[in-house]
Amino acid sequence: MGTSDSWVVVGLDNGGTSNNATVLDSAGHFLVDRLAETPSRVTEGPDIAVGALVQALEHVLELTGLPRSAVRAVGLDTPGPASAVGVISSRGSTNFSQPEWRGFDVRTALEERLQLPVLHHNDGNAAALYAHHQHYGDLATERSSISAIVGTGLGGGVIESGRIISGAAGMAGELGHVNIPMHGLIEVGQPMPQCNCGFAGDAESIASLTAIELNLLPYWLTQFPDHELHQVPSPAKAARLVRDLGERGDPLALKIFEQQAMAIGRLFTIAANFTDPHAYFLGGGVVETSAHFREWFLGRVRSYTELREEQARVAEFTLVSDRDMAGARGSAIAALASVQRP
Ligand SMILES: [Zn+2]
């Protein structure tokens, strides 16, 4: 640091309540090893929120002692859906509910404010890119992967030769909304799971916290009439308790996790026939459990992923952590690549 030819890129991860930022030097080393969080202020509209992104950048530069002039490019990720060029979907989304956000070009707005090139991805794709580079290191550009990140929704992304597959409209890698076969996955008499996107029977309609609350728990409670979760009045709260119950071996919770593992396995089977990746990464809330439970869950996912013999010999199944920093770090990696390989 400090020499006149040393330069960096900044990664900015924009979330519903906070922005997280990181700095990556031109040699590929992160200069910030912890969360650098500032308020995102997205509920106050685009103008204030773009200002908050500028503050996030200034804050993280202060932590590293670097001047703004050292920054060559900025990587930005926002919760999907947003187009390839960073325009918030015209349908709006949970974090961007104010009318001013509809069709707002957040990438260009930030670029104009900073007078620096800004590269935009959705948060799932950025996290997938970070998982890929963290796992493969120097081999990243020679490998491919798919990441499924189970949270409120089902995020993730598809990486080929170390780069995000973002698609013509920027909407590639929307793994949660891939329809998967439901035969043998849902029980006889279990209603077809519905997703917030309007699809029925896609991956997110099973493998997400929202799915537990809206689809899985309401059904499985009817099969366990004496279950303790009947006493929890809030469905959202009850859904959040399922993970702990699963760790303790509760039969209802294990039914839910079994269905989620099968859904992710079937999604990975589609990926195996589509891009045939080297690695299948699994992240999100399920990773933040005991080692025993998360290894069990990964094993179930793997058992439901149908690979050909040749694929099974080379494929890796791995849990990915560092979820809090994954978006900012993945965005920074994408920005560095855009400078090095425009
Ligand atoms: Zn969906």
Side-chain angles (χ1 to χ4, degrees):
M1 266 188 284
T3 59
S4 58
D5 62 345
S6 70
W7 56 271
V8 299
V9 295
V10 170
L12 296 174
D13 170 50
N14 170 255
T17 56
S18 56
N19 292 322
N20 184 29
T22 195
V23 180
L24 181 64
D25 72 15
S26 55
H29 301 297
F30 287 102
L31 304 182
V32 183
D33 61 3
R34 59 188 172 88
L35 275 180
E37 272 188 327
T38 49
S40 69
R41 305 180 70 181
V42 291
T43 56
E44 294 171 67
D47 196 53
I48 287 171
V50 170
L53 284 166
V54 175
Q55 283 168 1
L57 176 135
E58 285 168 349
H59 172 72
V60 80
L61 286 177
E62 270 172 38
L63 293 178
T64 58
L66 289 165
R68 175 92 77 96
S69 59
V71 181
R72 194 71 68 87
V74 173
L76 167 70
D77 74 278
T78 59
S83 78
V85 289
V87 178
I88 303 300
S89 169
S90 55
R91 285 171 63 195
S93 68
T94 319
N95 284 308
F96 304 102
S97 53
Q98 285 201 330
E100 305 99 285
W101 278 114
R102 305 252 166 89
F104 182 75
D105 183 348
V106 64
R107 189 199 68 81
T108 300
L110 183 61
E111 193 165 85
E112 284 172 358
R113 200 81 71 94
L114 290 173
Q115 294 293 306
L116 283 167
V118 175
L119 207 79
H120 178 267
H121 289 288
N122 79 40
D123 55 0
N125 284 347
L129 186 65
Y130 178 58
H132 182 90
H133 281 260
Q134 188 184 32
H135 184 76
Y136 282 120
D138 291 342
L139 285 174
T141 57
E142 296 161 32
R143 294 288 183 271
S144 58
S145 66
I146 181 166
S147 289
I149 298 162
V150 186
T152 311
L154 177 63
V158 180
I159 308 298
E160 180 62 41
S161 303
R163 305 187 88 154
I164 295 169
I165 303 289
S166 44
M171 291 172 181
E174 288 287 348
L175 306 179
H177 310 299
V178 173
N179 271 88
I180 54 171
M182 284 290 144
H183 180 75
L185 196 166
I186 56 174
E187 302 281 310
V188 175
Q190 183 174 0
M192 179 60 73
Q194 304 292 316
C195 181
N196 283 335
C197 75
F199 289 165
D202 64 14
E204 183 172 303
S205 76
I206 297 276
S208 65
L209 181 61
T210 306
I212 295 179
E213 179 187 340
L214 300 181
N215 297 321
L216 304 183
L217 195 52
Y219 169 74
W220 283 107
L221 280 172
T222 67
Q223 306 301 301
F224 291 81
D226 300 323
H227 197 275
E228 64 185 86
L229 286 182
H230 283 286
Q231 309 308 318
V232 180
S234 152
K237 194 177 170 198
R240 283 195 301 272
L241 295 171
V242 170
R243 189 172 74 191
D244 282 353
L245 288 168
E247 285 196 81
R248 285 189 265 137
D250 176 82
L252 175 147
L254 292 181
K255 290 283 191 191
I256 286 174
F257 279 107
E258 195 73 35
Q259 289 192 319
Q260 293 197 320
M262 193 185 285
I264 297 166
R266 289 182 175 191
L267 177 67
F268 282 170
T269 302
I270 293 169
N273 288 292
F274 226 98
T275 63
D276 184 21
H278 291 94
Y280 299 80
F281 295 130
L282 181 64
V286 75
V287 173
E288 290 145 33
T289 58
S290 65
H292 170 77
F293 187 74
R294 60 184 186 241
E295 290 299 335
W296 169 79
F297 189 72
L298 182 67
R300 298 312 293 153
V301 168
R302 184 173 197 152
S303 76
Y304 289 122
T305 306
E306 291 176 32
L307 301 180
R308 294 168 210 281
E309 201 187 317
E310 298 88 337
Q311 294 176 312
R313 276 201 292 272
V314 295
E316 291 182 75
F317 286 74
T318 307
L319 297 162
V320 291
S321 54
D322 274 335
R323 188 165 62 136
D324 288 344
M325 291 194 290
R329 288 191 160 191
S331 297
I333 290 167
L336 179 61
S338 78
V339 175
Q340 291 174 333
R341 307 178 285 177

